[in-house]
Amino acid sequence: MMESVVAAAAAGIEPFPAVDKCNASARGGHSVAADLDGTLLRSRSAFPYYALVAFEAGGWPRLLLLLLLSPLAALLDLAFASESWSTRVLVFAATAGVRVSAVESAARAVLPRFYAADVHPGALRVFSACSGRRVVLTSTPRVMAEPFLKDCLGADDVAGTELATWCGRATGLVDTTRCGGMLIGRRKAEALREMFGGDEGDAPDVGLGDRRSDYPFMCLCKEAYIVPSAPVEAVSMDQLPRPVIFHDGRLALRPTPLAALLVVLWFPAGLVLACLRIAAGALLPMHWVYYAFWALGVRVVVRGSPPPRAHSASGRKGVLFACSHRTLLDPIFLSVALGRPVAAVTYSLSRLSEMLSPIRTVRLSRDRATDAAMISKLLEEGDLAICPEGTTSREPFLLRFSALFAELTDEVVPVAMESRMGMFHGTTARGWKGMDPFYFFMNPSPVYTVNFLSKLPAELTCGGGGKPSHEVANYIQRLIAATLSYQCTSLTRKDKYRALAGNDGIVAVKKPR
């Protein structure tokens, strides 16, 4: 069969029908083997994913190295038709000297969000319809692609290029002792035989590929379909078998070669600009910060009518602002919108962020009685901001609200916070949180929207209405979600950190001697 396929390709005839011709019905129990780049994913270029690993593992210098070597990779692929050596260059630039654990961490927490935004609808339709064994064969290092393919697309097995390692670090070379090295062309066919056995009856029912180097493994399948390179809309996130809710990483944009070049060129200037913005927020009176931010390119949009300042001398307790949590800067932008500093309670905050903060921040101890007493005391002194989710969330979801705040006061004002970052994310679950404000303010034109909602009616509170605290918290969560067009979830801080960092997200604080 391979000879006829080669002859057809040489004559300029596509030897396999397009994936749109595949009947996906009645595929229960059928097995499928598919390529990744250009097949399950729309883009045939894996550069953005190597760029993400490079930036997460080595920061700006590593991304610069990848950019410098990418023309060589493109030359090898286009001029010399050497997909294998082109991929080797990208692997070396992105991983040489990097800890394997760092690559694994990026593959688990960062790459799935970008892979999920590029899934090909035609290939996914067939891949998902085959409810038997699903395998993926890819030249991408297995350690990079496997978490997404198994956790999000439901793949059973992934065969990919294996990285050579030494003392826990990637050497930047390919391990030639496993799968014969780079998994391209006939090596994909060999890997497929090993996975399914050599008998023709055990071959996959369906094969999906997109280029000539996929023909060898496609010829082993009972049916084979080609995924054309014609532009198509990616599958929407909510239509994936398992949507990505939690993700990490500093880059907010897809690092195509042009976008990666812009990041590299902007990074030094952005860092200087971030320092200026942070200094303006920390040194100027709060009622001037709004205008200083506007002059420095930071937009603060205020919606709704905020309540007046509470004075302890009047005998009235302060207002508790229950905010959705997008970045650790939420209470600061709340204060900017109010034109006055508002104290905030936090679960974990770096010492650097505490030093730079223009507002008072108080750490919670995670002991319910101790935290309740502290919050009550702060409310007696004035207004207070709290984020009941306990941690930030990037996607349009709200995590479960802690109910403690609802037990302590009836003076609750829900605040729907939104943030827009075009280049960098201002949050992290795996990295050093002290850099969070810098990365947020390094964005060329970040936007924060503060939506003040109506004060909670007395009949819906614990004290005035006799409502259980969890009902009050759930009501406020639904109210904020409706305002932002977000979706409520029962997920918590622990769920996020276990998914992204492999821990509970609790930062140990040393007690003073």
Side-chain angles (χ1 to χ4, degrees):
M1 179 180 180
M2 188 63 192
E3 290 76 10
S4 61
V5 167
V6 172
I13 302 173
E14 178 55 60
F16 301 105
V19 69
D20 294 340
K21 304 297 183 182
C22 178
N23 182 5
S25 61
R27 291 287 180 180
H30 283 201
S31 56
V32 59
D35 179 42
L36 178 61
D37 297 305
T39 303
L40 290 176
L41 302 180
R42 297 179 306 161
S43 174
R44 293 191 174 191
S45 172
F47 176 89
Y49 310 111
Y50 289 105
L52 288 164
V53 171
F55 191 79
E56 290 301 314
W60 181 83
R62 174 72 63 168
L63 183 58
L64 176 60
L65 174 63
L66 179 65
L67 276 171
L68 293 175
L69 292 180
S70 60
L72 174 60
L75 179 66
L76 290 170
D77 188 20
L78 298 177
F80 296 95
S82 178
E83 183 183 350
S84 175
W85 280 103
S86 173
T87 305
R88 289 173 190 268
V89 171
L90 296 178
V91 169
F92 177 84
T95 66
V98 174
R99 290 190 178 277
V100 176
S101 59
V103 179
E104 293 172 343
S105 178
R108 181 183 65 249
V110 181
L111 295 185
R113 172 62 180 81
F114 290 89
Y115 277 134
D118 195 37
V119 175
H120 194 287
L124 180 64
R125 177 180 64 88
V126 177
F127 190 79
S128 299
C130 296
S131 59
R133 189 179 180 188
R134 302 184 184 122
V135 302
V136 179
L137 309 160
T138 175
S139 60
T140 297
R142 179 188 54 80
V143 68
M144 288 173 52
E146 190 172 53
F148 164 73
L149 293 170
K150 287 190 172 182
D151 296 340
C152 296
L153 296 191
D156 297 302
D157 295 291
V158 178
T161 299
E162 298 292 341
L163 299 179
T165 62
W166 182 74
C167 294
R169 292 183 180 272
T171 64
L173 305 178
V174 173
D175 188 351
T176 57
T177 64
R178 303 172 66 179
C179 296
M182 187 64 63
L183 205 69
I184 291 176
R186 295 189 179 277
R187 290 198 176 100
K188 283 186 179 180
E190 294 169 4
L192 189 63
R193 287 194 185 96
E194 292 180 5
M195 298 170 79
F196 279 83
D199 296 336
E200 184 176 346
D202 295 331
D205 294 287
V206 180
L208 300 174
D210 67 287
R211 65 193 80 187
R212 290 192 177 187
S213 60
D214 293 331
Y215 289 173
F217 90 82
M218 295 171 69
C219 289
L220 300 179
C221 302
K222 298 175 184 177
E223 302 176 52
Y225 299 89
I226 200 78
V227 178
S229 59
V232 292
E233 289 291 328
V235 176
S236 62
M237 297 286 285
D238 58 351
Q239 292 180 342
L240 292 175
R242 301 170 192 172
V244 178
I245 296 179
F246 297 127
H247 60 92
D248 204 30
R250 292 297 192 183
L251 289 180
L253 46 69
R254 179 180 175 83
T256 60
L258 178 58
L261 178 60
L262 292 176
V263 169
V264 167
L265 295 176
W266 172 257
F267 197 92
L271 186 58
V272 174
L273 181 59
C275 292
L276 289 175
R277 290 167 169 174
I278 291 173
L283 300 177
L284 294 176
M286 190 58 69
H287 58 277
W288 289 0
V289 173
Y290 176 90
Y291 303 100
F293 277 175
W294 184 87
L296 292 171
V298 181
R299 300 292 179 261
V300 183
V301 180
V302 183
R303 295 173 180 162
S305 302
R309 179 199 295 262
H311 297 280
S312 58
S314 65
R316 182 170 66 89
K317 293 181 67 175
V319 171
L320 188 146
F321 294 98
C323 308
S324 55
H325 204 3
R326 307 314 286 176
T327 76
L328 60 81
L329 300 172
D330 291 332
I332 295 176
F333 279 96
L334 172 69
S335 299
V336 172
L338 291 169
R340 63 179 188 271
V342 175
V345 292
T346 64
Y347 283 95
S348 62
L349 196 65
S350 71
R351 293 299 182 188
L352 178 60
S353 296
E354 287 182 331
M355 291 171 56
L356 297 175
S357 176
I359 63 174
R360 180 185 178 189
T361 59
V362 181
R363 288 176 180 262
L364 294 174
S365 66
R366 298 188 180 276
D367 177 79
R368 190 175 182 83
T370 302
D371 291 340
M374 180 186 300
I375 293 173
S376 296
K377 181 180 179 181
L378 291 170
L379 285 171
E380 291 175 357
E381 298 173 358
D383 297 335
L384 180 66
I386 189 170
C387 298
E389 289 175 276
T391 189
T392 57
S393 177
R394 294 179 177 178
E395 293 301 307
F397 297 94
L398 290 184
L399 307 186
R400 190 178 72 193
F401 276 31
S402 170
L404 177 61
F405 73 93
E407 302 173 6
L408 305 177
T409 182
D410 292 344
E411 301 289 320
V412 180
V413 174
V415 184
M417 309 291 293
E418 293 181 277
S419 61
R420 189 169 75 236
M421 295 157 277
M423 188 172 287
F424 302 106
H425 283 298
T427 60
T428 183
R430 300 153 41 255
W432 181 37
K433 295 181 182 297
M435 287 300 295
D436 284 3
F438 290 91
Y439 271 103
F440 175 85
F441 284 115
M442 282 170 62
N443 285 285
S445 184
V447 178
Y448 237 101
T449 303
V450 184
N451 299 275
F452 289 99
L453 307 183
S454 300
K455 179 183 171 184
L456 201 64
E459 61 271 16
L460 296 180
T461 63
C462 295
K467 298 289 185 180
S469 59
H470 69 273
E471 286 190 12
V472 176
N474 291 342
Y475 172 79
I476 293 177
Q477 183 197 34
R478 292 194 300 270
L479 188 64
I480 294 177
T483 302
L484 300 174
S485 298
Y486 285 4
Q487 182 178 338
C488 294
T489 74
S490 60
L491 300 170
T492 66
R493 174 188 179 88
K494 286 186 178 181
D495 294 321
K496 170 187 169 179
Y497 277 86
R498 285 172 179 170
L500 299 182
N503 57 57
D504 289 343
I506 298 176
V507 179
V509 179
K510 295 182 179 179
K511 297 181 179 180
R513 296 181 179 178

